[in-house]
PDB file of all heavy atoms in Angstrom:
ATOM      1  N   VAL A1182      97.570 107.261  86.598  1.00  0.00           N
ATOM      2  CA  VAL A1182      98.227 106.314  85.682  1.00  0.00           C
ATOM      3  C   VAL A1182      99.126 105.366  86.474  1.00  0.00           C
ATOM      4  O   VAL A1182      99.162 104.139  86.226  1.00  0.00           O
ATOM      5  CB  VAL A1182      99.008 107.082  84.604  1.00  0.00           C
ATOM      6  CG1 VAL A1182      99.920 106.144  83.835  1.00  0.00           C
ATOM      7  CG2 VAL A1182      98.049 107.779  83.641  1.00  0.00           C
ATOM      8  N   ASP A1183      99.857 105.952  87.451  1.00  0.00           N
ATOM      9  CA  ASP A1183     100.745 105.093  88.247  1.00  0.00           C
ATOM     10  C   ASP A1183      99.943 104.054  89.015  1.00  0.00           C
ATOM     11  O   ASP A1183     100.295 102.855  89.066  1.00  0.00           O
ATOM     12  CB  ASP A1183     101.566 105.947  89.215  1.00  0.00           C
ATOM     13  CG  ASP A1183     102.563 106.827  88.460  1.00  0.00           C
ATOM     14  OD1 ASP A1183     102.880 106.480  87.286  1.00  0.00           O
ATOM     15  OD2 ASP A1183     103.011 107.849  89.020  1.00  0.00           O
ATOM     16  N   ARG A1184      98.854 104.507  89.645  1.00  0.00           N
ATOM     17  CA  ARG A1184      98.026 103.561  90.387  1.00  0.00           C
ATOM     18  C   ARG A1184      97.436 102.493  89.472  1.00  0.00           C
ATOM     19  O   ARG A1184      97.407 101.303  89.795  1.00  0.00           O
ATOM     20  CB  ARG A1184      96.902 104.300  91.114  1.00  0.00           C
ATOM     21  CG  ARG A1184      97.382 105.166  92.270  1.00  0.00           C
ATOM     22  CD  ARG A1184      96.198 105.862  92.917  1.00  0.00           C
ATOM     23  NE  ARG A1184      96.648 106.724  94.017  1.00  0.00           N
ATOM     24  CZ  ARG A1184      95.820 107.486  94.737  1.00  0.00           C
ATOM     25  NH1 ARG A1184      94.517 107.479  94.446  1.00  0.00           N
ATOM     26  NH2 ARG A1184      96.279 108.227  95.718  1.00  0.00           N
ATOM     27  N   ALA A1185      96.963 102.983  88.320  1.00  0.00           N
ATOM     28  CA  ALA A1185      96.370 102.011  87.393  1.00  0.00           C
ATOM     29  C   ALA A1185      97.404 100.998  86.933  1.00  0.00           C
ATOM     30  O   ALA A1185      97.117  99.806  86.784  1.00  0.00           O
ATOM     31  CB  ALA A1185      95.757 102.751  86.206  1.00  0.00           C
ATOM     32  N   ARG A1186      98.590 101.453  86.709  1.00  0.00           N
ATOM     33  CA  ARG A1186      99.643 100.538  86.279  1.00  0.00           C
ATOM     34  C   ARG A1186      99.958  99.505  87.380  1.00  0.00           C
ATOM     35  O   ARG A1186     100.137  98.310  87.100  1.00  0.00           O
ATOM     36  CB  ARG A1186     100.890 101.327  85.905  1.00  0.00           C
ATOM     37  CG  ARG A1186     100.765 102.049  84.558  1.00  0.00           C
ATOM     38  CD  ARG A1186     102.001 102.843  84.260  1.00  0.00           C
ATOM     39  NE  ARG A1186     101.890 103.525  82.970  1.00  0.00           N
ATOM     40  CZ  ARG A1186     102.805 104.373  82.485  1.00  0.00           C
ATOM     41  NH1 ARG A1186     103.881 104.664  83.248  1.00  0.00           N
ATOM     42  NH2 ARG A1186     102.630 104.926  81.316  1.00  0.00           N
ATOM     43  N   ARG A1187     100.029 100.038  88.631  1.00  0.00           N
ATOM     44  CA  ARG A1187     100.308  99.103  89.726  1.00  0.00           C
ATOM     45  C   ARG A1187      99.201  98.072  89.870  1.00  0.00           C
ATOM     46  O   ARG A1187      99.431  96.870  90.052  1.00  0.00           O
ATOM     47  CB  ARG A1187     100.506  99.871  91.027  1.00  0.00           C
ATOM     48  CG  ARG A1187     101.811 100.671  91.091  1.00  0.00           C
ATOM     49  CD  ARG A1187     102.122 101.110  92.525  1.00  0.00           C
ATOM     50  NE  ARG A1187     101.078 101.975  93.077  1.00  0.00           N
ATOM     51  CZ  ARG A1187     101.085 103.311  92.943  1.00  0.00           C
ATOM     52  NH1 ARG A1187     102.084 103.901  92.288  1.00  0.00           N
ATOM     53  NH2 ARG A1187     100.129 104.022  93.479  1.00  0.00           N
ATOM     54  N   VAL A1188      97.952  98.550  89.774  1.00  0.00           N
ATOM     55  CA  VAL A1188      96.815  97.626  89.895  1.00  0.00           C
ATOM     56  C   VAL A1188      96.818  96.615  88.764  1.00  0.00           C
ATOM     57  O   VAL A1188      96.591  95.412  88.962  1.00  0.00           O
ATOM     58  CB  VAL A1188      95.503  98.422  89.938  1.00  0.00           C
ATOM     59  CG1 VAL A1188      94.303  97.491  89.838  1.00  0.00           C
ATOM     60  CG2 VAL A1188      95.412  99.230  91.224  1.00  0.00           C
ATOM     61  N   ALA A1189      97.118  97.107  87.556  1.00  0.00           N
ATOM     62  CA  ALA A1189      97.141  96.204  86.400  1.00  0.00           C
ATOM     63  C   ALA A1189      98.237  95.166  86.560  1.00  0.00           C
ATOM     64  O   ALA A1189      98.046  93.979  86.236  1.00  0.00           O
ATOM     65  CB  ALA A1189      97.338  97.010  85.125  1.00  0.00           C
ATOM     66  N   PHE A1190      99.399  95.641  87.041  1.00  0.00           N
ATOM     67  CA  PHE A1190     100.500  94.690  87.230  1.00  0.00           C
ATOM     68  C   PHE A1190     100.137  93.626  88.265  1.00  0.00           C
ATOM     69  O   PHE A1190     100.389  92.419  88.077  1.00  0.00           O
ATOM     70  CB  PHE A1190     101.758  95.455  87.653  1.00  0.00           C
ATOM     71  CG  PHE A1190     102.965  94.590  87.828  1.00  0.00           C
ATOM     72  CD1 PHE A1190     103.611  94.013  86.720  1.00  0.00           C
ATOM     73  CD2 PHE A1190     103.453  94.306  89.110  1.00  0.00           C
ATOM     74  CE1 PHE A1190     104.721  93.204  86.899  1.00  0.00           C
ATOM     75  CE2 PHE A1190     104.564  93.498  89.264  1.00  0.00           C
ATOM     76  CZ  PHE A1190     105.212  92.944  88.162  1.00  0.00           C
ATOM     77  N   SER A1191      99.511  94.079  89.377  1.00  0.00           N
ATOM     78  CA  SER A1191      99.101  93.125  90.417  1.00  0.00           C
ATOM     79  C   SER A1191      98.068  92.155  89.879  1.00  0.00           C
ATOM     80  O   SER A1191      98.121  90.941  90.133  1.00  0.00           O
ATOM     81  CB  SER A1191      98.550  93.871  91.624  1.00  0.00           C
ATOM     82  OG  SER A1191      99.534  94.732  92.167  1.00  0.00           O
ATOM     83  N   LEU A1192      97.122  92.682  89.102  1.00  0.00           N
ATOM     84  CA  LEU A1192      96.097  91.801  88.526  1.00  0.00           C
ATOM     85  C   LEU A1192      96.712  90.806  87.567  1.00  0.00           C
ATOM     86  O   LEU A1192      96.291  89.637  87.500  1.00  0.00           O
ATOM     87  CB  LEU A1192      95.034  92.634  87.808  1.00  0.00           C
ATOM     88  CG  LEU A1192      94.117  93.468  88.705  1.00  0.00           C
ATOM     89  CD1 LEU A1192      93.207  94.360  87.859  1.00  0.00           C
ATOM     90  CD2 LEU A1192      93.296  92.576  89.618  1.00  0.00           C
ATOM     91  N   GLU A1193      97.693  91.240  86.804  1.00  0.00           N
ATOM     92  CA  GLU A1193      98.350  90.298  85.893  1.00  0.00           C
ATOM     93  C   GLU A1193      99.055  89.187  86.688  1.00  0.00           C
ATOM     94  O   GLU A1193      99.014  88.007  86.312  1.00  0.00           O
ATOM     95  CB  GLU A1193      99.343  91.041  85.008  1.00  0.00           C
ATOM     96  CG  GLU A1193      98.668  91.908  83.960  1.00  0.00           C
ATOM     97  CD  GLU A1193      99.688  92.690  83.144  1.00  0.00           C
ATOM     98  OE1 GLU A1193     100.904  92.568  83.457  1.00  0.00           O
ATOM     99  OE2 GLU A1193      99.276  93.419  82.213  1.00  0.00           O
ATOM    100  N   GLN A1194      99.704  89.542  87.807  1.00  0.00           N
ATOM    101  CA  GLN A1194     100.376  88.530  88.619  1.00  0.00           C
ATOM    102  C   GLN A1194      99.366  87.531  89.187  1.00  0.00           C
ATOM    103  O   GLN A1194      99.565  86.302  89.159  1.00  0.00           O
ATOM    104  CB  GLN A1194     101.153  89.198  89.758  1.00  0.00           C
ATOM    105  CG  GLN A1194     102.401  89.958  89.304  1.00  0.00           C
ATOM    106  CD  GLN A1194     103.141  90.600  90.462  1.00  0.00           C
ATOM    107  OE1 GLN A1194     102.617  90.639  91.595  1.00  0.00           O
ATOM    108  NE2 GLN A1194     104.350  91.067  90.195  1.00  0.00           N
ATOM    109  N   VAL A1195      98.229  88.123  89.710  1.00  0.00           N
ATOM    110  CA  VAL A1195      97.203  87.228  90.252  1.00  0.00           C
ATOM    111  C   VAL A1195      96.640  86.340  89.170  1.00  0.00           C
ATOM    112  O   VAL A1195      96.383  85.131  89.368  1.00  0.00           O
ATOM    113  CB  VAL A1195      96.101  88.058  90.923  1.00  0.00           C
ATOM    114  CG1 VAL A1195      94.926  87.176  91.320  1.00  0.00           C
ATOM    115  CG2 VAL A1195      96.646  88.786  92.151  1.00  0.00           C
ATOM    116  N   GLN A1196      96.468  86.939  87.954  1.00  0.00           N
ATOM    117  CA  GLN A1196      95.938  86.152  86.848  1.00  0.00           C
ATOM    118  C   GLN A1196      96.875  85.009  86.488  1.00  0.00           C
ATOM    119  O   GLN A1196      96.438  83.885  86.226  1.00  0.00           O
ATOM    120  CB  GLN A1196      95.697  87.058  85.635  1.00  0.00           C
ATOM    121  CG  GLN A1196      95.019  86.346  84.476  1.00  0.00           C
ATOM    122  CD  GLN A1196      94.761  87.283  83.330  1.00  0.00           C
ATOM    123  OE1 GLN A1196      95.207  88.425  83.358  1.00  0.00           O
ATOM    124  NE2 GLN A1196      94.038  86.807  82.330  1.00  0.00           N
ATOM    125  N   GLU A1197      98.175  85.272  86.507  1.00  0.00           N
ATOM    126  CA  GLU A1197      99.132  84.220  86.202  1.00  0.00           C
ATOM    127  C   GLU A1197      99.098  83.113  87.262  1.00  0.00           C
ATOM    128  O   GLU A1197      99.128  81.911  86.954  1.00  0.00           O
ATOM    129  CB  GLU A1197     100.541  84.828  86.102  1.00  0.00           C
ATOM    130  CG  GLU A1197     100.752  85.716  84.872  1.00  0.00           C
ATOM    131  CD  GLU A1197     100.633  84.925  83.598  1.00  0.00           C
ATOM    132  OE1 GLU A1197     100.936  83.717  83.597  1.00  0.00           O
ATOM    133  OE2 GLU A1197     100.228  85.550  82.572  1.00  0.00           O
ATOM    134  N   ARG A1198      98.996  83.557  88.487  1.00  0.00           N
ATOM    135  CA  ARG A1198      98.953  82.561  89.563  1.00  0.00           C
ATOM    136  C   ARG A1198      97.677  81.744  89.490  1.00  0.00           C
ATOM    137  O   ARG A1198      97.665  80.522  89.711  1.00  0.00           O
ATOM    138  CB  ARG A1198      99.078  83.250  90.920  1.00  0.00           C
ATOM    139  CG  ARG A1198     100.459  83.919  91.120  1.00  0.00           C
ATOM    140  CD  ARG A1198     100.546  84.664  92.431  1.00  0.00           C
ATOM    141  NE  ARG A1198     100.466  83.717  93.567  1.00  0.00           N
ATOM    142  CZ  ARG A1198     100.469  84.075  94.845  1.00  0.00           C
ATOM    143  NH1 ARG A1198     100.518  85.367  95.145  1.00  0.00           N
ATOM    144  NH2 ARG A1198     100.405  83.161  95.793  1.00  0.00           N
ATOM    145  N   LEU A1199      96.525  82.454  89.155  1.00  0.00           N
ATOM    146  CA  LEU A1199      95.274  81.724  89.015  1.00  0.00           C
ATOM    147  C   LEU A1199      95.327  80.758  87.856  1.00  0.00           C
ATOM    148  O   LEU A1199      94.789  79.629  87.931  1.00  0.00           O
ATOM    149  CB  LEU A1199      94.110  82.707  88.820  1.00  0.00           C
ATOM    150  CG  LEU A1199      93.692  83.506  90.073  1.00  0.00           C
ATOM    151  CD1 LEU A1199      92.630  84.524  89.701  1.00  0.00           C
ATOM    152  CD2 LEU A1199      93.186  82.554  91.168  1.00  0.00           C
ATOM    153  N   ARG A1200      95.973  81.143  86.829  1.00  0.00           N
ATOM    154  CA  ARG A1200      96.133  80.220  85.697  1.00  0.00           C
ATOM    155  C   ARG A1200      96.942  78.987  86.101  1.00  0.00           C
ATOM    156  O   ARG A1200      96.628  77.855  85.720  1.00  0.00           O
ATOM    157  CB  ARG A1200      96.797  80.934  84.527  1.00  0.00           C
ATOM    158  CG  ARG A1200      95.893  81.899  83.793  1.00  0.00           C
ATOM    159  CD  ARG A1200      96.657  82.599  82.696  1.00  0.00           C
ATOM    160  NE  ARG A1200      95.789  83.559  82.017  1.00  0.00           N
ATOM    161  CZ  ARG A1200      96.208  84.388  81.065  1.00  0.00           C
ATOM    162  NH1 ARG A1200      97.496  84.378  80.706  1.00  0.00           N
ATOM    163  NH2 ARG A1200      95.366  85.208  80.488  1.00  0.00           N
ATOM    164  N   GLY A1201      97.987  79.264  86.898  1.00  0.00           N
ATOM    165  CA  GLY A1201      98.797  78.132  87.365  1.00  0.00           C
ATOM    166  C   GLY A1201      97.979  77.194  88.243  1.00  0.00           C
ATOM    167  O   GLY A1201      98.050  75.970  88.126  1.00  0.00           O
ATOM    168  N   LEU A1202      97.201  77.791  89.175  1.00  0.00           N
ATOM    169  CA  LEU A1202      96.349  76.980  90.053  1.00  0.00           C
ATOM    170  C   LEU A1202      95.313  76.227  89.247  1.00  0.00           C
ATOM    171  O   LEU A1202      95.010  75.039  89.532  1.00  0.00           O
ATOM    172  CB  LEU A1202      95.675  77.874  91.090  1.00  0.00           C
ATOM    173  CG  LEU A1202      96.595  78.497  92.169  1.00  0.00           C
ATOM    174  CD1 LEU A1202      95.797  79.455  93.032  1.00  0.00           C
ATOM    175  CD2 LEU A1202      97.238  77.390  93.020  1.00  0.00           C
ATOM    176  N   TYR A1203      94.751  76.926  88.223  1.00  0.00           N
ATOM    177  CA  TYR A1203      93.753  76.264  87.396  1.00  0.00           C
ATOM    178  C   TYR A1203      94.372  75.082  86.659  1.00  0.00           C
ATOM    179  O   TYR A1203      93.770  73.998  86.561  1.00  0.00           O
ATOM    180  CB  TYR A1203      93.150  77.277  86.410  1.00  0.00           C
ATOM    181  CG  TYR A1203      92.106  76.680  85.511  1.00  0.00           C
ATOM    182  CD1 TYR A1203      90.816  76.407  86.007  1.00  0.00           C
ATOM    183  CD2 TYR A1203      92.394  76.349  84.191  1.00  0.00           C
ATOM    184  CE1 TYR A1203      89.853  75.833  85.190  1.00  0.00           C
ATOM    185  CE2 TYR A1203      91.436  75.793  83.384  1.00  0.00           C
ATOM    186  CZ  TYR A1203      90.146  75.540  83.872  1.00  0.00           C
ATOM    187  OH  TYR A1203      89.211  74.968  83.045  1.00  0.00           O
ATOM    188  N   THR A1204      95.566  75.236  86.231  1.00  0.00           N
ATOM    189  CA  THR A1204      96.244  74.148  85.536  1.00  0.00           C
ATOM    190  C   THR A1204      96.517  72.978  86.481  1.00  0.00           C
ATOM    191  O   THR A1204      96.293  71.798  86.169  1.00  0.00           O
ATOM    192  CB  THR A1204      97.563  74.653  84.934  1.00  0.00           C
ATOM    193  OG1 THR A1204      97.277  75.734  84.058  1.00  0.00           O
ATOM    194  CG2 THR A1204      98.260  73.558  84.155  1.00  0.00           C
ATOM    195  N   LEU A1205      96.991  73.322  87.685  1.00  0.00           N
ATOM    196  CA  LEU A1205      97.266  72.272  88.667  1.00  0.00           C
ATOM    197  C   LEU A1205      95.992  71.547  89.080  1.00  0.00           C
ATOM    198  O   LEU A1205      95.957  70.309  89.233  1.00  0.00           O
ATOM    199  CB  LEU A1205      97.942  72.867  89.900  1.00  0.00           C
ATOM    200  CG  LEU A1205      99.388  73.418  89.694  1.00  0.00           C
ATOM    201  CD1 LEU A1205      99.881  74.091  90.953  1.00  0.00           C
ATOM    202  CD2 LEU A1205     100.323  72.271  89.299  1.00  0.00           C
ATOM    203  N   ALA A1206      94.892  72.364  89.230  1.00  0.00           N
ATOM    204  CA  ALA A1206      93.630  71.730  89.599  1.00  0.00           C
ATOM    205  C   ALA A1206      93.151  70.801  88.512  1.00  0.00           C
ATOM    206  O   ALA A1206      92.614  69.703  88.774  1.00  0.00           O
ATOM    207  CB  ALA A1206      92.580  72.810  89.890  1.00  0.00           C
TER     208      ALA A1206
END
């Protein structure tokens, strides 16, 4: 559960950053 939470949190951060990049692009 801890690992999954960490992975999910990291994926959410990457997703937010990708959304930002997508918006800028």
Side-chain angles (χ1 to χ4, degrees):
V1182 168
D1183 292 339
R1184 290 180 181 178
R1186 285 178 180 176
R1187 289 195 299 271
V1188 171
F1190 182 71
S1191 300
L1192 290 174
E1193 288 177 357
Q1194 289 180 350
V1195 172
Q1196 186 178 7
E1197 290 296 331
R1198 294 177 66 182
L1199 287 175
R1200 286 177 182 175
L1202 291 175
Y1203 180 76
T1204 302
L1205 292 175

